[in-house]
Amino acid sequence: MFQQDAGLPAGSGQTDTILPAQRLALGRHERPFTRQQSVAEVVETLTSGSGCGIVLVGEHGAGKSFIAQRALEELGDEYLVVQVRGSSISSKLPYGALSVLLNDLDASHLEHPLMVLRGLTQLLHTKSEGRRVVLFVDNAHDLDDLSSMMVAQLSAGAHVTLLAACVDMPDVGGDIMGLWKDDLLRRVDLGPFDFAETAATLHFEYGGRFSFTAARALWSASGGNALFLHALAREQIKLGTIVRQDGVWVLGRDGIALTGEIRDVVKARLNRLGTGERDVFELLALAGAVPLQTLMGIANPHDMDALQERGMIMVSHDHPPMVSITNPVTAGIVASVVPPGRSAELRHRLTAVLEDSDRTAADAPVGVAWALDCGEKVLPGTALAAARRANEASDPVAALRFVHEIRGAGTSTGIAVESVRALLALNDDEAARRTLNALGASTAADLPVAEWATLELLRAELDGRSKATAGDARGRLREIAPRLDTGTPEHDAMVVPARELLRLAEAELAAFQGRYADVLAVTAGADAGDLGSEAQIVAASLRCEALAATGSVTSAIALGQHINTASEKVRLSDRVIRRIRGRFLLLLLLSSRFKEATVFIEETCSKGDPQTRIGGMFEIGHGVMDVHAGHLEEALSRLQAGMWQLRAHDPDALAGLAMAACAYTAALHGDEEVAGRLLDELAPWRTHAGWLVDRMTRYLELSALAELGQRASSVRALVAEAEADSDASAPMTALAFLAGAARLGDRQLSKKLGAVAGTVSGPFAGICARLADGMREADSEQLLAASKEADAAGNAVFARDAARKAVSCANDAGNRIALRVAQRAQQSLDDRFGSPKNGLHSLTTSTLTARECEVAVRAAAGTSNRKIAEQMHVSVRTVEGHLYQVYSKLHVASRTELKDVISTPAESARLG
């Protein structure tokens, strides 16, 4: 959309200065676009006749010109558009921006500003031929003083309505500024795109949904700047770092490549900086972050203030305050284009003034990488510390680089630990295992107990990444505890951190295997008091999962919210915060708390955190909510994007869950081939999933199979899974399985469903209890009440199935009024899912045979009995017989009443 700051693609040929408004309507923007409200605001101001006009304010590339052009396209034939454009060259010439217009005036008109104004007024009056004139001034901040004065005079005299675009109001000149101060000129500020706007504009522009990860990577890299965003997106598609899969766009494993067009854009912005500003910007790009006091000793404070006012650098609230570049991607590009000699010079200037107390900043991963790039020797301890911090920041490639610099020096344990952590982050389990094995058993035996325990915990983590070896991990953890529990008081003090890490490892493995009683035992007390450390937060998060799984859903959600609040105040590694957020979102989805999940997703996504701190559950969370709400097309689009993204990179083992959710959505949507193919491919993707993720995957898999016609076998499997989870003391998932079976099966499950619902807290358990009561008592009113509650909670799938049960019960009872109410509720829910098969399926399973349903749908569409007989190749008497059964079963007396019950098109009713 924002192809360049002028808002028009290169080569569009839009060079005229005076244009009828309709000439701008080139048919390029028939698709939806982002910020349509801003366009509407501009159009309303230009056409209202009040004031002098409107000015759009925003950084270069914010989309000012696009919005202006789009608004001008919507003006009618009664408007004449006059375009002028300021530039750095024209700003140095008197009337420079207006020179094209002044060429049409006699030379005598240029002798005095009043004569220029009179000449321009006459010119515009002649050209307009009675139409209203809109003067569009692009880059108004680059107008010379005389042009600025003339534009203001034309606007104040109502000769034109002004539409201006500028970077900042103070730069537009005193005359135009005066119009704004006098409330004659309306101002609209265009900030950076938020994440939702970024995702929407990418979808509109490139004709397909971008995965959550891909859209977020582009948003983070562009800083929400529209020009950057599209330059970056085009470049990534060209390079193949973002690829199209099954109609959606996903980001490859290598991440965003900072080359080509986006690099040129950043270099162009860099070239607009003054010498001092450029020094500051390049130094920060290379150093990452510099203490404020240190930077003030090197750079001119005025240059720093100018960069901060433009939002290019920021000062943290740390002690001491640190200065860094606002957009890390911009920093990376700038650092990559600084010549080696200048890089070395800037580093020398920085290190010459660094105090010992400031060395921590220089020892950060970016600073150490800068030192290595300059050919400096880095102390082993410094490199190892940088590797540790790089791993915490989810940069395993940098961590391995630092480790490589110190191989053969220093303590081999520390090197091995950071190497293995980096390799695990890259999912290179084999290389991680080789690194641990290279230490040898004899070396490990001679190590201090704390270092030995660290290595054993890594081995256990490696084993615990797969169901096949999780048993080995549990045995290894049991062997660590005895050695940590023996020794002197001094020894005990040394191993306290190791004991805490061991408890966390035991809890994490128990959660992975679904042993929630063990999780609760290990994390006893973790939900009490403040959560002031990473270890306390992780333990509380694991306890949150265990509480939910064992039925205390309400307490678990409250604890999860407390954890999320606490995590904002504690420095956490990317891996930890990602797992905490993903775990909490999974619990919200499993407990059908879709409204809370929506709020959580929106709040999390509004933050500027990189994807490494958000995680894969957010790839599919919104899609899972959409499918349960009945928004199948939107859900399928989201879930397909998430599935393909997780297939490309899946650090949290969620690809199988994404595939199952996608298959279920496709089945509900009537895409049986797609659903079947996904289910056939599912098994290998579940190998590394944790217990709770696997249970949700299994539930969606069986639900999909039921929609594909395997209802009886799916119901049996759902019941079996529910019984297994009940035996494992996991009533939350047992309730989900049993509710699914009850909605699809017979009334005999009502007693079991009610019993399990009584052991689980929360709204979903209450809805299940009401469903159980309605089924047990064959009470259509209770079933409809359960349906309404489920629908209000965002679970239209549950609501649809409960409504079908209500229809069946009312029909069996012969209650015509209740049946009609239930049928309407069911039809409304079936219609929401958009697939004709849903309405037909409910009729055939709850009331009519397939043949009766086909006759009923055709009759409801107004087709005569004779025509129906011809279409179905049967006799008229046979059709009349079917209709008699239909009227009797549905308790209707005419085609009119039948039409109220059945709204499915006749052409979709070919079931016979």
Side-chain angles (χ1 to χ4, degrees), residues 779-798:
D779 186 339
S780 63
E781 289 188 4
Q782 283 212 61
L783 291 169
L784 278 181
S787 175
K788 290 179 181 178
E789 285 184 30
D791 193 25
N795 196 340
V797 178
F798 192 114

Side-chain angles (χ1 to χ4, degrees), residues 286-346:
L286 293 162
V290 175
L292 176 60
Q293 287 300 120
T294 301
L295 189 60
M296 291 180 68
I298 302 173
N300 186 322
H302 294 295
D303 294 326
M304 296 166 57
D305 289 342
L307 291 171
Q308 188 175 10
E309 287 175 4
R310 292 159 69 178
M312 298 179 72
I313 66 173
M314 60 183 180
V315 181
S316 74
H317 298 290
D318 300 329
H319 299 286
M322 304 294 291
V323 187
S324 60
I325 292 178
T326 305
N327 187 332
V329 176
T330 300
I333 295 174
V334 172
S336 70
V337 300
V338 176
R342 176 161 172 77
S343 175
E345 175 203 341
L346 290 170

Side-chain angles (χ1 to χ4, degrees), residues 86 105 127 139 532 576 637 678 724 811 839:
L105 298 182
K127 295 283 188 180
N139 291 343
V576 166
S637 174
L678 289 172
N811 182 69

Side-chain angles (χ1 to χ4, degrees), residues 391-462:
N391 274 328
E392 290 174 354
S394 294
D395 191 356
V397 175
L400 291 175
R401 179 192 181 187
F402 300 143
V403 165
H404 179 75
E405 291 294 323
I406 53 175
R407 288 198 182 279
T411 304
S412 60
T413 306
I415 297 172
V417 166
E418 299 310 325
S419 295
V420 171
R421 286 174 177 165
L423 292 167
L424 289 176
L426 293 170
N427 287 325
D428 193 346
D429 292 6
E430 190 58 37
R433 200 176 297 279
R434 286 197 305 269
T435 300
L436 287 171
N437 292 339
L439 290 175
S442 59
T443 303
D446 297 334
L447 291 174
V449 65
E451 293 184 17
W452 169 82
T454 299
L455 292 173
E456 289 302 296
L457 287 171
L458 281 174
R459 288 189 171 96
E461 180 180 348
L462 190 56

Side-chain angles (χ1 to χ4, degrees), residues 452-453 456-457 459-464 466-483 502 505-506 509-510 513 515 518:
W452 169 82
E456 289 302 296
L457 287 171
R459 288 189 171 96
E461 180 180 348
L462 190 56
D463 290 338
S466 170
K467 296 183 180 71
T469 55
D472 297 337
R474 190 177 185 187
R476 192 180 296 279
L477 293 177
R478 286 174 175 168
E479 294 173 359
I480 297 174
R483 188 171 174 186
L502 175 60
E506 289 173 339
L509 182 62
Q513 295 181 307
R515 296 182 284 107
D518 292 345

